[in-house]
Amino acid sequence: MYGFHGRLLQIDLTSRSHRWVALEETRLRAFLGGIGLGTSLLYDLAPGGVEPFSPANPLIFTTAPLVGTGLTTTSKFAVVTKSPLTGFIADSLSSSFFALELKRAGLDAIAITGRAEPPVYLMIGGKESGELPVVEFREARHLWGRSPGETEALIRSELNHGGVRVAAIGQAGENLVRFATISNEGRHAGRGGVGAVMGSKNLKAIALSGNSEVEVADPKGVDAIAEMMRERSLGTVTAKYREIGTVANLAVFNRLGTLPTRNFQQSTFDHAEALSGESLTENSFSRRYGCASCTIRCERLFKSLTGAEQRLEYETLFALGPLCGIEDPEAVLQAARLCDQYGLDTISAGGTLAWAMECAEKGLLPEAQRLGLRFGKAEPFLEALSAIARRSGLGSLLAEGSRRAATKLGGESAYWAMHVKGMELPGYEPRSLKTMALGFAVSPRGACHNRSGAYEADFSGEVDRLSGDARRGGLVAASEDFASVLDSLIVCKFLRKCFTDFYAESAELLSKVTGWSCSDAELRRVGERINTLKKLFNVREGWQPEDDWLPPRLLGEALPTGVAQGVGLTVSELREMIGGYYQARGWDKNGFIPEKKLRELGLG
Amino acid sequence: MKDDQPSAGAAAVVLTGGKSSRMGRPKALLPFDGEPLIVHAVRRLEPLFSEIIVVAAAEQELPPLRRGSGQALPVTLVRDQVAYQGPVAGIYYGLQEARGAIGFVTSCDVPFLSLGLISHLLSQITNYDVVVPYWEERLQPLFAVYRREVAPLLKDQLESGELRPISLYKKVRTREVGPEEIRRFDPEGLSFLNMNTPEDYQAALKRWREQRGPAEPAKESASVPCTVELLGVARLRAKTREVSLALPQGATVAHVFSALAEKLPTLVGPVIAPGGNSLASGHACNINGRDFVRDLTVEVRPGDRIFIISADAGG
Ligand code: SF4
């Protein structure tokens, strides 16, 4: 087999045992790697209706066929499990050297079940090339309470192995904060609470050291494409990522009236200029950085007044800035640092705190009022972030995410919980980006800008972004399928515009890696299959049509400021778009998948 | 949206009262591009300022301040009380008249002024009382931004006979804008090319005709003022947030890009495609925050704000 190792490592933490299972080529061809392979394994390995924090819920790490090929931006891995935040699928990506090492460990996926007593970390690797790596369960009590960064450093030094790569959880994961991340080298598998599932297994970290190089079918052909993509990745198409990074979105979104502000009360922020990527670049730029083997290098480190460097990207900037009314770049940098240290998803953390701020201002959450939690107040905001990670006081309620917290608090508070399926919305205002609104409503993992890039249609001028119609259904489905293929090959989203014909070029590349003869039509089909299986998983876990919906505020209030002033979203507009989506997908009018469709995709 | 313009609320003060002795006839009346020079100056400044004040000498002859269509230009006319006191008096009377806190002072004989440079000068006033360019080894008080608050000091100068504007600069917070900074907006410093002799005047006419290109018929006061807002890569590269343009009637989005390319050549390549009339891939254009432009033949309307953004919204 080329491009894959054809192996799954199953680990049971309760019995401290592991076994190797062959992965059939048919599965790999049907789902590729990354998110696709992860979804397929989750569907098969998770008992139906499993509790997310149950030892039986598998925590799955996958690598992918393009990882390790030298193709720019492909050093990525996926983490898939049942989400403690949504109760549906959680599929998260992270990048860099851990991804390369996972592939070099001689496997395509790791599925972890059980619960260790006491906490452990896993060390996988250390054998001669060609031999199966050894799996060690190592004591982790001394690492408990440590940040992911500290954990990485301690594990490296105790293994006396500088080349070992580590993914770890922070306190948030240990304390089962439902939006905790898994972190490696300062990057995170961020959304959906995968870190909390890892915490529920008493698994502090995974350390890897591999030496199995995977072979590709046509090394020269792969190198030639890699060289071409490297060239393309340095053109004007990626200039935004290379010269500013994703923080560039903030000023643009503000001008276009799509910057969610103060818990989606507004879509413009008066202090956007100070927080803009342009200002940050001029005033606080420290360093540019990138994932392993990436030529774009979109990451930006900014210097805070204390002199410390902090990574910042748009979603973090929006969620810890305008969404909470925070205008001081320094406070945002501090908040981002706390999230990194504790292992908190910045979007859900910001979204949940914005909910708490609004509840406090409306007099619904006395504890938050006592702490002085209000829009724009930096100090209590920073304290609350720490409290969430430690689950202390009010933090314990907020660690549940906005949906559960609102259910517990009751009253009108659910009106201000800005989530879909329990997952807090990222930084794209749905009322002024109607295709994206649909993307949020129907996404299997909840409100998400990664598994659906539907905003692209809104920003393209192809459609009227301020009003929705049934035609958006096809655009959203196509965008989801495209994302699924990217996320399963895996290629970074920021390379996507460097392809002239993504499906044809990827099919050619995949053929040269695997030796299969793939067509663009086959890859399109893979995308559809992955999304359909995600939905099928959700249906098995109890999905109902009302789960594909948007928070009531978006349907009840028109935007008060900016170029989209007066624009709202109506129930019938949303219904029409959702109907269009189900139709485009070939599902029934309530969003369930007909048998025929499943069979057609080989899922029946 | 006007509030976002650095020039919002700023006045342009155009001095016309110089002696014109070497020219042999009043500069303000010189025909230029089919209209008197003073009218030309006012029209050039119009897109950037909400208020334009023309300062003339007490008895000075001025042409009707009208467009070619006959419509009056929105100008306040101030007469210098005492003849030939020099620029300090002109600046003083002009600033006195301004409604807003800030005035950009220029003379009427600089037909090649760069609105980009003026915008930049205006944007620098935040922590200063005066922003004055330094070009060709000297400060340029007649192409500078002043806070209205300095007017009393100018009056004192007039009374004590300190008739050089630069005496003011030592007394207040003055920001000098050096040649390198100027070149970013006006590479050849044409903003400072004024006309003192008939030769200067002929050379300016010639340059103007060359700039326009021979094929283009002289258009009557037909001008579409619009503002280009630069975001993302464009802003970082150009080191400016926005640029005001005055385009010919019927101008399209493609014209906007050409005009922008001329003003900010640094954008050609990374942001504007080498041909100069379309954007490089990875960039997008939006009009008034509403419509993304797909068709470059869309006409620009007066007052449009055109955003140049780094297109890829992901992340
Ligand atoms: S573009 Fe950015 S996120 Fe993508 S691989 Fe490169 S550094 Fe990582």
Side-chain angles (χ1 to χ4, degrees):
Chain A
M1 202 183 290
Y2 292 108
F4 294 91
H5 295 286
R7 270 194 293 271
L8 159 71
L9 171 62
Q10 278 190 299
I11 294 175
D12 178 43
L13 292 167
T14 311
S15 62
R16 296 191 172 218
S17 62
H18 73 276
R19 64 188 191 119
W20 293 92
V21 179
L23 284 174
E24 332 79 81
E25 195 160 335
T26 44
R27 187 198 291 261
L28 298 172
R29 189 150 178 178
F31 292 99
L32 310 179
I35 298 289
L37 179 59
T39 303
S40 154
L41 292 172
L42 177 70
Y43 191 81
D44 289 348
L45 298 176
V50 70
E51 281 299 316
F53 289 148
S54 145
N57 183 23
L59 179 67
I60 298 164
F61 290 74
T62 58
T63 171
L66 298 189
V67 178
T69 58
L71 183 78
T72 184
T73 79
T74 57
S75 303
K76 300 202 178 257
F77 65 98
V79 186
V80 181
T81 189
K82 180 168 172 180
S83 165
L85 191 63
T86 67
F88 296 127
I89 189 170
D91 52 345
S92 227
L93 287 179
S94 182
S95 338
S96 218
F97 290 100
F98 186 86
L100 293 177
E101 215 57 30
L102 189 63
K103 183 92 173 226
R104 281 160 50 83
L107 47 83
D108 303 307
I110 308 174
I112 303 165
T113 51
R115 180 184 157 88
E117 258 343 318
V120 297
Y121 75 89
L122 291 169
M123 172 64 212
I124 301 171
K127 274 280 179 177
E128 291 298 308
S129 174
E131 286 181 35
L132 288 178
V134 168
V135 179
E136 290 176 64
F137 298 81
R138 299 180 68 110
E139 163 74 47
R141 263 190 294 219
H142 61 300
L143 301 173
W144 217 246
R146 300 279 188 176
S147 74
E150 290 166 343
T151 305
E152 265 182 70
L154 282 167
I155 290 180
R156 283 221 183 109
S157 84
E158 75 184 49
L159 294 176
N160 200 10
H161 191 332
V164 78
R165 299 295 173 179
V166 179
I169 56 169
Q171 281 189 46
E174 295 168 7
N175 294 328
L176 309 188
V177 175
R178 286 180 189 269
F179 43 90
T181 66
I182 298 173
S183 317
N184 63 291
E185 303 142 55
R187 304 213 39 119
H188 306 270
R191 303 228 66 195
V194 291
V197 172
M198 189 151 150
S200 76
K201 300 190 174 322
N202 267 346
L203 177 61
K204 178 68 183 176
I206 300 175
L208 296 170
S209 141
N211 45 23
S212 299
E213 298 304 334
V214 77
E215 281 187 42
V216 300
D218 174 2
K220 282 214 178 94
V222 172
D223 283 353
I225 297 181
E227 180 54 31
M228 179 181 79
M229 293 311 291
R230 198 190 70 82
E231 279 285 312
R232 289 193 199 167
S233 74
L234 298 172
T236 55
V237 179
T238 57
K240 167 183 150 186
Y241 300 113
R242 286 182 288 119
E243 296 187 21
I244 309 188
T246 60
V247 289
N249 289 353
L250 193 122
V252 177
F253 284 22
N254 186 52
R255 296 303 277 126
L256 299 180
T258 62
L259 175 66
T261 297
R262 296 160 68 93
N263 201 30
F264 289 80
Q265 292 184 45
Q266 288 170 231
S267 64
T268 57
F269 187 48
D270 289 346
H271 309 281
E273 186 51 42
L275 282 183
S276 71
E278 291 86 343
S279 300
L280 284 167
T281 304
E282 276 162 15
N283 304 328
S284 326
F285 175 76
S286 170
R287 215 152 36 99
R288 183 176 157 210
Y289 200 76
C291 301
S293 65
C294 174
T295 44
I296 298 175
R297 301 171 72 232
C298 72
E299 293 186 78
R300 287 296 178 288
L301 281 84
F302 296 100
K303 210 171 230 131
S304 90
L305 294 178
T306 62
E309 280 185 329
Q310 177 58 42
R311 263 194 185 78
L312 206 58
E313 45 83 49
Y314 168 67
E315 289 298 337
T316 297
L317 176 61
F318 125 83
L320 304 177
L323 189 65
C324 291
I326 303 291
E327 60 184 74
D328 176 10
E330 189 61 23
V332 176
L333 288 170
Q334 275 185 45
R337 165 172 301 275
L338 289 175
C339 289
D340 278 355
Q341 279 172 358
Y342 290 124
L344 285 170
D345 170 23
T346 51
I347 303 176
S348 282
T352 305
L353 278 169
W355 168 82
M357 288 171 176
E358 188 145 13
C359 290
E361 290 193 358
K362 301 263 162 43
L364 279 178
L365 193 52
E367 207 175 336
Q369 279 169 283
R370 258 199 311 283
L371 293 173
L373 206 57
R374 297 183 71 79
F375 287 112
K377 287 265 163 294
E379 229 166 77
F381 160 73
L382 294 169
E383 279 166 22
L385 274 175
S386 303
I388 290 174
R390 294 197 300 264
R391 272 193 181 265
S392 65
L394 176 68
S396 176
L397 176 74
L398 303 183
E400 295 290 288
S402 60
R403 176 176 67 178
R404 277 188 177 73
T407 308
K408 284 194 182 158
L409 183 63
E412 288 171 296
S413 69
Y415 183 83
W416 296 298
M418 302 303 293
H419 69 86
V420 173
K421 300 181 177 70
M423 190 190 269
E424 286 71 21
L425 271 71
Y428 295 75
E429 168 56 57
R431 283 163 289 190
S432 48
L433 295 168
K434 290 284 170 26
T435 322
M436 193 71 225
L438 174 62
F440 285 155
V442 298
S443 174
R445 81 165 181 177
C448 172
H449 63 295
N450 282 325
R451 301 295 164 263
S452 162
Y455 52 79
E456 276 199 327
D458 293 318
F459 286 130
S460 70
E462 272 169 56
V463 298
D464 179 1
R465 67 183 173 97
L466 302 186
S467 75
D469 55 50
R471 204 161 58 88
R472 308 308 164 87
L475 296 175
V476 168
S479 154
E480 287 179 337
D481 292 351
F482 174 63
S484 282
V485 176
L486 276 177
D487 296 342
S488 304
L489 282 169
I490 303 172
V491 180
C492 181
K493 288 215 164 54
F494 302 159
L495 192 70
R496 68 190 187 278
K497 294 275 177 64
C498 297
F499 292 89
T500 40
D501 178 342
F502 170 73
Y503 283 107
E505 287 174 326
S506 305
E508 188 191 345
L509 177 59
L510 187 63
S511 302
K512 289 190 189 318
V513 169
T514 58
W516 304 332
S517 112
C518 297
S519 67
D520 55 342
E522 178 179 344
L523 277 191
R524 283 176 201 275
R525 195 34 64 117
V526 169
E528 185 184 4
R529 184 180 298 118
I530 294 168
N531 279 300
T532 308
L533 187 60
K534 286 185 191 181
K535 178 64 182 275
L536 193 62
F537 175 82
N538 283 359
V539 170
R540 188 178 81 188
E541 302 308 306
W543 177 89
Q544 289 298 320
E546 57 268 26
D547 291 310
D548 282 0
W549 202 241
L550 290 173
R553 156 165 279 162
L554 300 178
L555 296 156
E557 295 172 21
L559 292 169
T561 59
V563 295
Q565 189 176 35
V567 176
L569 171 64
T570 65
V571 169
S572 60
E573 206 177 2
L574 182 56
R575 279 223 178 93
E576 189 185 334
M577 290 199 290
I578 292 175
Y581 172 78
Y582 292 158
Q583 199 180 9
R585 281 258 173 248
W587 299 348
D588 72 19
K589 65 177 187 357
N590 293 318
F592 291 96
I593 314 164
E595 278 299 319
K596 185 167 149 273
K597 188 72 193 174
L598 293 176
R599 277 198 305 277
E600 191 188 308
L601 293 167
L603 297 170
Chain B
M1 263 187 284
K2 271 222 136 116
D3 296 346
D4 289 345
Q5 301 175 30
S7 52
V13 175
V14 187
L15 308 189
T16 65
K19 278 190 202 140
S20 307
S21 43
R22 281 191 288 160
M23 186 66 79
R25 49 183 169 153
K27 284 188 207 175
L29 300 178
L30 290 175
F32 200 89
D33 193 30
E35 60 196 352
L37 193 54
I38 176 64
V39 173
H40 182 81
V42 169
R43 282 204 312 100
R44 292 273 290 151
L45 292 164
E46 214 186 337
L48 206 55
F49 294 96
S50 49
E51 185 186 9
I52 298 178
I53 298 158
V54 170
V55 183
E59 306 291 342
Q60 187 183 341
E61 181 193 350
L62 279 181
L65 295 173
R66 295 183 181 287
R67 299 176 205 280
S69 62
Q71 190 193 6
L73 286 163
V75 165
T76 310
L77 182 63
V78 186
R79 295 281 178 176
D80 205 336
Q81 301 310 316
V82 190
Y84 304 131
Q85 286 188 96
V88 169
I91 301 170
Y92 168 68
Y93 289 119
L95 289 178
Q96 275 284 76
E97 195 61 31
R99 284 195 300 269
I102 289 157
F104 167 73
V105 175
T106 180
S107 55
C108 70
D109 62 346
V110 282
F112 300 102
L113 51 80
S114 153
L115 295 183
L117 177 59
I118 299 173
S119 295
H120 178 66
L121 299 178
L122 288 165
S123 74
Q124 298 303 301
I125 193 77
T126 315
N127 295 316
Y128 296 94
D129 301 309
V130 175
V131 177
V132 60
Y134 183 79
W135 183 258
E136 288 184 344
E137 314 298 329
R138 60 185 220 87
L139 291 167
Q140 303 283 344
L142 294 190
F143 201 86
V145 180
Y146 298 81
R147 266 185 205 284
R148 203 182 51 188
E149 291 158 16
V150 306
L153 293 171
L154 293 171
K155 185 160 187 245
D156 294 345
Q157 280 187 216
L158 285 176
E159 283 165 359
S160 63
E162 274 183 272
L163 296 183
R164 284 154 32 100
I166 54 171
S167 311
L168 169 73
Y169 300 165
K170 296 187 202 81
K171 304 174 201 156
V172 298
R173 297 171 305 166
T174 299
R175 158 105 159 82
E176 288 185 19
V177 173
E180 248 172 58
E181 201 172 334
I182 291 169
R183 279 194 200 97
R184 294 210 307 260
F185 302 90
D186 184 355
E188 293 174 68
L190 296 180
S191 296
F192 308 106
L193 202 72
N194 57 359
M195 300 182 271
N196 292 319
T197 64
E199 289 73 28
D200 292 345
Y201 171 51
Q202 288 308 326
L205 285 176
K206 184 159 170 268
R207 182 186 285 273
W208 183 260
R209 280 193 296 267
E210 281 166 6
Q211 268 192 4
R212 290 207 117 174
E216 196 162 337
K219 284 211 176 87
E220 270 303 342
S221 58
S223 136
V224 179
C226 63
T227 307
V228 181
E229 259 187 61
L230 303 174
L231 290 142
V233 172
R235 185 188 294 185
L236 288 192
R237 291 276 177 145
K239 300 198 165 59
T240 187
R241 290 176 56 183
E242 59 178 41
V243 174
S244 298
L245 298 175
L247 299 170
Q249 288 287 352
T252 64
V253 173
H255 285 104
V256 172
F257 300 149
S258 321
L260 195 61
E262 228 169 73
K263 276 206 162 162
L264 299 170
T266 158
L267 294 183
V268 179
V271 178
I272 299 172
N277 54 7
S278 63
L279 290 177
S281 56
H283 299 274
C285 171
N286 178 294
I287 301 189
N288 298 325
R290 179 73 170 75
D291 305 309
F292 280 88
V293 175
R294 295 169 67 79
D295 175 5
L296 299 185
T297 63
V298 166
E299 260 192 42
V300 179
R301 289 154 305 180
D304 272 349
R305 291 185 78 82
I306 293 150
F307 301 163
I308 308 283
I309 67 177
S310 297
D312 222 0

